[in-house]
Amino acid sequence: MTLSLSVVLAVSALMFGLGVYGALTQRNAIRVLMCIELVLNSVNINLVAFSRYVGPDQALGQVFTVFVMTVAAAEAAVGLAIILMVARRKAHIDIDQINLLKW
Amino acid sequence: MTVTDWVFLAVAAVTLFSAYRVVVSRKIMHAALWLGLTFFGVAGIFLLLGADFLAAAQVLVYVGAVTTIIIFGIMLSTPEELRGPSPEAGSDAASSAAPTRRSFLPLVTAIGFAAVMVALVNRGEWPSPPGSVSTDTPRLLGEALFTRFVIPFEVASVVLLVALVGAIALALKEESGQ
């Protein structure tokens, strides 16, 4: 296996950029959540790649990826519950118009 | 270029294209399905990097659970966007209901970050891949999780439990909650 680490890291960086762009531009709250999932996945690729290339006999990066997956699942569940509440009260989930806490 | 390289490039291309479609798809349901394909691609990348347990967990957790819960959220909350933009909407409503914010700053941020990262990655001195890798990552992962990282592991399970109970409590109907 001669796959070079820099190619994997470049793919992860591109995916991170896509996720950040989506999270900053989308106005639908569910889409913002999806783009955050993209960002978390690109970080997971980074962790697994470093775990494979730097310390393959310890799998520490993979342990960290397990924790990222746990937190991502919790974030998706709580985020969608909040979005459901907002949708029930305001009949839309446009994050530009959800400004109750705005000064 | 070995076979592994070509397979990795193909999987990475599919992953990046579907991630791009997540961002630009007009219908949110299509975006959710492209997100599922992106998760599958990431699982393929995990497999190519030798993390077979994580690839299985990725398919189970992300493709099986997160995509499903997002599709549930879409179906429960946004009926009008699910059908796509209605053609008879007025021009003022159309301008205010544009799906994205048109501004150059997010583009500059995203492209700038990706460009800087790719440039740094290309300049860096990276370790060459080790020749032999132990193939029993589930054993390595389990030993690390239950000996050295047992406290974070328990904390993560408590976080998951609290998040699930909190999600149920948040999504309960108001009438039954009072």
Side-chain angles (χ1 to χ4, degrees), chain B residues 60-144:
Chain B
L60 280 179
V61 173
Y62 276 106
V63 183
V66 172
T67 309
T68 311
I69 206 175
I70 283 178
I71 288 175
F72 266 116
I74 292 169
M75 290 189 169
L76 286 175
S77 62
T78 57
E80 65 283 344
E81 192 177 350
L82 202 60
R83 280 186 238 107
S86 55
E88 67 269 16
S91 58
D92 51 343
S95 66
S96 70
T100 62
R101 271 183 236 112
R102 310 272 178 219
S103 170
F104 70 98
L105 271 181
L107 201 62
V108 170
T109 309
I111 292 183
F113 176 82
V116 166
M117 285 307 289
V118 170
L120 281 179
V121 159
N122 279 331
R123 291 181 61 186
E125 294 274 329
W126 301 110
S128 57
S132 67
V133 174
S134 65
T135 52
D136 52 349
T137 51
R139 188 179 64 80
L140 282 176
L141 209 54
E143 280 181 2

Side-chain angles (χ1 to χ4, degrees), chain B residues 11-12 18 28 34 63 77 80 84 86 92 108 115 124 133 150 158 160 170 174:
Chain B
V11 173
S18 50
I28 192 166
W34 282 112
V63 183
S77 62
E80 65 283 344
S86 55
D92 51 343
V108 170
V133 174
V150 65
V158 172
L160 209 55
L170 272 176
E174 296 249 318

Side-chain angles (χ1 to χ4, degrees), chain A residues 86-98:
Chain A
V86 171
R88 211 176 281 151
R89 295 198 172 196
K90 301 178 74 106
H92 66 76
I93 49 172
D94 186 346
I95 58 173
D96 275 358
Q97 296 172 32
I98 302 172

Side-chain angles (χ1 to χ4, degrees), chain B residues 13-46:
Chain B
V14 169
T15 309
L16 285 178
F17 177 73
S18 50
Y20 171 73
R21 296 294 300 175
V22 170
V23 177
V24 301
S25 285
R26 288 200 61 81
K27 293 190 180 179
I28 192 166
M29 197 66 199
H30 294 179
L33 294 177
W34 282 112
L35 187 71
L37 183 60
T38 312
F39 289 155
F40 260 120
V42 173
I45 292 177
F46 283 176

Side-chain angles (χ1 to χ4, degrees), chain A residues 60-78:
Chain A
L60 293 186
Q62 299 191 22
V63 172
F64 212 90
T65 304
V66 170
F67 292 134
V68 173
M69 274 187 187
T70 312
V71 175
E75 171 248 340
V78 175

